[in-house]
Amino acid sequence: MKSQRAELVAEAAITLLAERGMRGLTHRAVDEEAGLPPGSTSNLARTRLKLLELALERLTELEGAAFESALGVPGPITQDSLAEMTTRALWAQLTTDRRRTVARYELALEATRRPELRRVYDEAGARFRDPAVQILAAVGSPDPVRHGRQMVAFGEGVMFDAIAGAGTEPTLDDLRLGVRELLRGMLR
């Protein structure tokens, strides 16, 4: 993030996206949420697209740090440690980081209608998909590219179902079992 003010504006935008959705995200609402004088957000992010990009950049930063933290398990990565890291990362996205997950889904849907945001969104997503491929290769996947995509899709599906779908929110044990079953199927 470029500055403290940019970070403050981005955090306010993320909160508004999570609480009010895309329609509730305005420059004025961000100023109010961040406690800034009117016009401050416009000075930093002139257009709505720039405001969305700023929020997405901050989300990518925060989720990247969380992802790196989840990978910070000492020793070599095994199927069991990968299952536990993935479970903990999913659990965080559904609990402590839920606001960010909801905001990211708002941005994902907006990116389907705005090609200029789609490009930024896809670049941000590569920061998470590429390491998944590398990790699955390290634990012995016979097809790490395909399995990496499936692993990410599984995680996204679980989170979407729990947050926006008709499913019930999984427990930590439910997540752990599901991730272990997925990895067992991929890596047998």
Side-chain angles (χ1 to χ4, degrees):
M1 193 74 6
K2 296 164 186 74
S3 69
Q4 282 185 315
R5 173 139 315 179
E7 190 173 304
L8 180 64
V9 166
E11 285 289 340
I14 291 166
T15 296
L16 289 169
L17 285 167
E19 291 177 357
R20 301 182 193 173
M22 197 58 67
R23 296 183 101 192
L25 180 69
T26 65
H27 284 76
R28 182 180 302 181
V30 172
D31 286 341
E32 290 171 9
E33 178 69 28
L36 295 171
S40 297
T41 298
S42 290
N43 287 335
L44 188 66
R46 271 266 180 256
T47 65
R48 183 168 179 81
L49 176 63
K50 290 298 179 197
L51 182 57
L52 294 172
E53 288 176 353
L54 189 66
L56 182 55
E57 178 184 328
R58 181 67 178 150
L59 275 173
T60 303
E61 246 177 48
L62 293 168
E63 289 184 339
F67 186 70
E68 287 174 17
S69 173
L71 293 178
V73 174
I77 296 177
T78 64
Q79 187 173 330
D80 286 339
S81 66
L82 176 57
E84 191 58 29
M85 289 184 290
T86 304
T87 298
R88 294 285 174 184
L90 287 171
W91 182 250
Q93 291 292 112
L94 293 174
T95 56
T96 56
D97 300 334
R98 185 181 194 93
R99 172 187 72 104
R100 292 194 316 235
T101 305
V102 172
R104 185 166 52 81
Y105 286 147
E106 287 286 340
L107 289 164
L109 289 171
E110 186 67 11
T112 66
R113 296 179 286 277
R114 297 181 84 147
E116 64 278 15
L117 186 60
R118 173 94 267 153
R119 181 188 51 75
V120 176
Y121 190 85
D122 289 345
E123 287 171 7
R127 284 188 54 189
F128 303 97
R129 286 181 192 87
D130 295 344
V133 169
Q134 295 168 356
I135 291 167
L136 283 159
V139 295
S141 167
D143 191 348
V145 172
R146 183 170 56 85
H147 288 156
R149 282 194 313 264
Q150 290 173 339
M151 186 78 161
V152 170
F154 171 83
E156 290 293 341
V158 166
M159 290 185 298
F160 189 86
D161 187 59
I163 290 174
T168 59
E169 191 133 336
T171 66
L172 185 59
D173 288 336
D174 292 336
L175 288 174
R176 187 174 286 117
L177 180 61
V179 170
R180 285 186 174 161
E181 288 171 343
L182 176 70
L183 286 173
R184 231 184 348 263
M186 287 178 179
L187 303 174
R188 61 173 98 165

